[in-house]
Structures are given as structure tokens and as C-alpha cells.
Amino acid sequence: PPSGRRCCALRSSRANVSAARASSRQEGDGPTQAGPVGRRQAMELAATLAWVAGARAPLAEAVERPVEVGSYLDAAAGLPGFFEFVPGGQETPAIRAGTIGKYKFAMPGTWIRRTVANILSGNYCQPRCDEPWTEVLFQGPKGTKGGSLQVIVSPLNKLSRSSLAPGESIDKVGTMDGIIFSLGPNITGNTIEEEEVASKEAKKIDGVTYYWYELDTPYAKTGQRQVASIAAKDNAVFVMAVSATSKQWQENQDDLRKIVQSFRI
């Protein structure tokens, strides 16, 4: 769980700092009891702290790009005003580790990329994470044309005891109801009740089955309306979810559906 990974990271950092302090005491440059720290001890401690921070920095959050995606992504074929996102080979911890392959989706050109917190990115557990992690986040413009987007990946073993054979899809993992009730809390931050599933549809595209959902979730932490596409491949289950307030949904629901329905693995 995220809290466990956070604790491990903190313990690791503290252990490095403690080791530096112990090493400096052994050098004999200063007293071992609390008191003034010698110049050598201070330098060693500073170096160790810098190493701890530097070692974690390259694997920290993906750099946020507070510019509209229309300025740097390629236009999406067949979707005027939409631009296609395909992660690079070093884009996320899971892709770097070879845990998952690439995916793609399209969104309006006015959306921007947001930072995924290191603790949520799977950075600490790849390539063998036991819990779902967040791949990417994007945010729409403020106001009724906005919304938010997240791609979440869950290890297949959270839902199934066996790996998928080539050509098998999400329908081999579970039913539409079973999948959304299991993974819904990762989308909304709350449990999903049966009456909150406004619609659902299974769609087969290029040999891959996608479960499409629309949710009306008044108690969700992400917004009352959710649209999601869930698919599975190899040892991973992919969740593309778009969230919006009621006003954003009323004004922008067609575009929000297009985002989710463009998702491919």
C-alpha cells in the first residue's frame, strides 16, 4: 500500500542519515555525545543527504507540463481538436521497468499534464507492484470545459490468479460488474454502489475487449460524474478514467466520452 511504501522510503532515508552520523563519530573529529559537530562530520553528513536526495530525484515525479497539449502533441486522426498522447519508452516507472507496454489516448488540445506524486507512481515497487499505481494525469481548463484524466494500472493478480494468454482480454478476468466494483474505488476514492453505474458497455476493438462505464457518484472525491474504459493485457489491467463535476458534465460530456473511448492498449 502507498503508506507502506512511504514508510519504507522514510526508513531508508533515515537509515542513510544515521549511517552517516555513525561514520562521522568513528572518525574521532568530534565528541560522540550531542554537541558541536566537527567540520569533517558535517561535510560527510551533507554529502550523504545530498546523495539520498539525488538518488531519488531522477525517479521522482514526472515533470509537469503546464502548457496545452495542443502545442506539443500530434493531432489525433479522426478527432478534430484532439491530440494523441503516447508515452515514451522512459516516460513512467512501469514502462521503464518493462512491467507494461505502451498505451495511447486523445484529448482536447486545451488540456495540460499534471504531476503524478512519486508515492503513487509505482516508483518504489516496480517491476513487481502489489497494488495499483497511477501512470499519468491530465487536467482540462478551468470552468465548464474542464475535467480531469488519470490512467491507473492494477496488477492482474489483484483480480485473477492466472495470466492472460495471447489474445485474451478483460472479459477473461471478470464480469463488467465485478471489475468496476473491484477497481472503482481507485477511480473515485470511494466504493461504487450498483445504482451509481449509470451505463456500461463491452466493446471489442482490434481484438481487444474494453469495458466502458459511465458513473454517477455523488460521494466521489474526484467529481460526481465519471467515464471509464478498462482493459487488460498480459499481467496488467489498465483503467482510463475521466472525472467531472455535474456542470462540467452537462457542458462537456461528448468530449469527455471521446477521451475515454479513444483509449487503446
Side-chain angles (χ1 to χ4, degrees):
S3 59
R5 293 196 292 272
R6 184 184 294 113
C7 289
C8 290
L10 289 172
R11 283 197 292 268
S12 177
S13 298
R14 289 169 179 164
N16 282 305
V17 173
S18 296
R21 287 172 176 162
S23 175
S24 68
R25 286 171 185 150
Q26 292 170 3
E27 294 294 330
D29 284 348
T32 58
Q33 297 179 349
V37 178
R39 183 172 178 272
R40 185 186 182 104
Q41 295 100 310
M43 291 177 66
E44 289 181 349
L45 180 56
T48 300
L49 289 171
W51 178 87
V52 171
R56 295 176 62 188
L59 299 177
E61 294 92 339
V63 177
E64 185 164 319
R65 301 192 68 168
V67 294
E68 295 181 352
V69 298
S71 66
Y72 63 91
L73 294 182
D74 293 333
L79 288 173
F82 277 59
F83 294 79
E84 187 172 76
F85 173 79
V86 183
Q90 299 295 313
E91 191 93 18
T92 70
I95 293 176
R96 287 197 298 270
T99 307
I100 61 171
K102 293 183 181 181
Y103 45 86
K104 63 181 181 179
F105 56 88
M107 72 196 97
T110 54
W111 286 49
I112 63 173
R113 187 165 184 176
R114 302 304 304 269
T115 298
V116 177
N118 201 20
I119 199 69
L120 301 178
S121 70
N123 208 3
Y124 296 118
C125 58
Q126 297 297 342
R128 295 183 180 180
C129 292
D130 294 324
E131 297 295 331
W133 66 89
T134 302
E135 278 284 296
V136 292
L137 297 172
F138 286 86
Q139 185 80 36
K142 293 181 179 180
T144 56
K145 287 292 185 181
S148 60
L149 173 165
Q150 58 181 329
V151 174
I152 301 167
V153 179
S154 172
L156 183 63
N157 61 19
K158 293 288 291 183
L159 302 169
S160 174
R161 294 183 178 180
S162 58
S163 300
L164 292 176
E168 290 185 335
S169 293
I170 189 68
D171 50 321
K172 296 296 183 180
V173 180
T175 64
M176 292 201 76
D177 286 341
I179 293 295
I180 194 61
F181 294 147
S182 295
L183 295 177
N186 294 289
I187 299 172
T188 66
N190 209 334
T191 56
I192 301 291
E193 303 296 337
E194 185 175 355
E195 61 271 16
E196 294 176 334
V197 182
S199 68
K200 56 187 178 182
E201 178 184 3
K203 194 83 171 178
K204 196 161 191 174
I205 304 171
D206 298 329
V208 178
T209 300
Y210 296 84
Y211 284 172
W212 289 351
Y213 302 91
E214 290 186 11
L215 309 176
D216 188 348
T217 51
Y219 302 108
K221 297 178 181 179
T222 50
Q224 182 164 347
R225 302 306 298 254
Q226 325 285 332
V227 198
S229 177
I230 303 179
K233 185 176 182 181
D234 299 327
N235 292 306
V237 178
F238 295 77
V239 181
M240 145 71 82
V242 173
S243 304
T245 64
S246 294
K247 288 184 178 180
Q248 288 170 335
W249 178 254
Q250 291 170 7
E251 182 73 20
N252 205 28
Q253 58 184 281
D254 289 342
D255 279 353
L256 300 182
R257 288 192 184 100
K258 288 177 184 177
I259 296 172
V260 168
Q261 293 174 7
S262 73
F263 184 64
R264 300 288 185 273
I265 60 172

